[in-house]
Amino acid sequence: MAKPPLSRPANKNPSAGTPVCGWKLEKAARKFGALRIAGVDEVGRGPMFGPVVAAAVILAPRCRLEGLNDSKKVSEKRRNELDIEIRANAVAWSIAAVDVEIIDRINIRRASLLAMKQAVETLALTPDYLLIDGVDTIDFPCPQQSCIQGDGTSFSIAAASILAKVYRDRLLVELDGQFPGYGLASHKGYCSAEHMEALARLGPTPLHRKNWSPVAQQLLPLELAGTLDDALVLGDGSLSFAAE
């Protein structure tokens, strides 16, 4: 395969208007000899609850899926239909999720990159070129290009965004049954007014991201109370804590 250009974000030109989803990035990659081009995207960076989910999809050059676009621009009904069509027609596809514990430990950006790497690594076919939504590339041994608003520019990335979003949305609906009262089925873990009110009223669950400010603010009084239980009040009113 011919040497590809340096991997860098494909920036949207502000004067060019809304990006049009198509095959432009895939065709450019094929000019350098790429045969198995995987689109990669993630969903769930912003929520304060639940995992971050990524998908990788390799589409055939002549694959046609009506209405394929950035998952945020497609109705829920059509997303669910496209999810079925992509799984049936893609050359290969894979989905990976990174849980809250890892997100809290390594931060959301690194967790998102890890989810994307895992999705690529578990494809049934090894890709020889990656198109990745956003500004980052991943630790994978093949040429790759990151693309700002890639899910609205590349059919391959759009397909990945559809699979990732449908998977995560369905997971949050299931988790709504395990953690009732938070409205997870409606807001999907994002910081909506309903979610913020429920968090204040019910407190965090094990699947809330502890490093997110609203969750941390709810945890702080609990942690402080536990610390105070172990403190000794001195004569001047100050606190003394026993050494571990």
Side-chain angles (χ1 to χ4, degrees):
M1 186 170 69
K3 185 178 180 179
L6 293 175
S7 296
R8 60 183 182 274
N11 291 292
K12 173 189 169 187
N13 183 346
S15 64
T18 304
V20 177
C21 206
W23 293 110
K24 181 178 179 180
L25 296 179
E26 287 86 348
K27 287 178 180 178
R30 289 190 182 98
K31 286 183 179 180
F32 291 95
L35 298 175
R36 300 178 300 279
I37 303 165
V40 187
D41 198 6
E42 54 75 27
V43 297
R45 284 188 72 151
M48 59 180 176
F49 178 98
V52 61
V53 174
V57 178
I58 301 176
L59 295 175
R62 294 181 177 81
C63 182
R64 294 292 181 269
L65 299 170
E66 183 179 351
L68 180 58
N69 205 335
D70 173 2
S71 61
K72 298 183 292 295
K73 299 177 181 177
V74 180
S75 69
E76 181 179 5
K77 179 177 183 296
R78 185 58 186 141
R79 280 199 304 268
N80 289 330
E81 294 170 348
L82 282 167
D83 179 75
I84 296 172
E85 294 172 18
I86 292 165
R87 291 169 183 253
N89 291 283
V91 174
W93 61 269
S94 181
I95 298 171
V98 170
D99 65 26
V100 171
E101 181 180 349
I102 295 176
I103 293 172
D104 285 334
R105 188 169 74 245
I106 67 175
N107 78 42
I108 186 60
R109 176 179 171 272
R110 293 172 63 191
S112 298
L113 296 176
L114 177 60
M116 290 192 286
K117 179 183 179 182
Q118 290 176 347
V120 171
E121 289 176 337
T122 51
L123 283 166
L125 295 175
T126 302
D128 57 14
Y129 201 97
L130 302 181
L131 295 172
I132 302 175
D133 185 57
V135 298
D136 292 305
T137 54
I138 64 172
D139 180 18
F140 189 80
C142 80
Q144 46 193 290
Q145 180 182 9
S146 59
C147 179
I148 297 172
Q149 296 187 11
D151 48 4
T153 305
S154 157
F155 279 145
S156 300
I157 300 176
S161 78
I162 293 287
L163 292 193
K165 180 165 178 56
V166 170
Y167 179 93
R168 190 178 189 281
D169 283 358
R170 289 175 178 170
L171 176 61
L172 267 290
V173 171
E174 292 179 11
L175 291 173
D176 184 70
Q178 296 181 34
F179 302 99
Y182 292 88
L184 299 172
S186 60
H187 54 65
K188 307 301 188 292
Y190 284 86
C191 301
S192 67
E194 178 188 10
H195 196 179
M196 297 291 284
E197 185 279 328
L199 182 65
R201 176 168 45 88
L202 301 173
T205 72
L207 295 188
H208 275 94
R209 300 176 185 177
K210 296 179 180 62
N211 290 338
W212 263 239
S213 178
V215 181
Q217 290 174 15
Q218 293 298 319
L219 289 170
L220 184 59
L222 298 176
E223 294 173 353
L224 182 58
T227 303
L228 292 176
D229 286 342
D230 297 328
L232 297 175
V233 181
L234 302 181
D236 60 0
S238 62
L239 300 177
S240 174
F241 300 90
E244 291 293 334

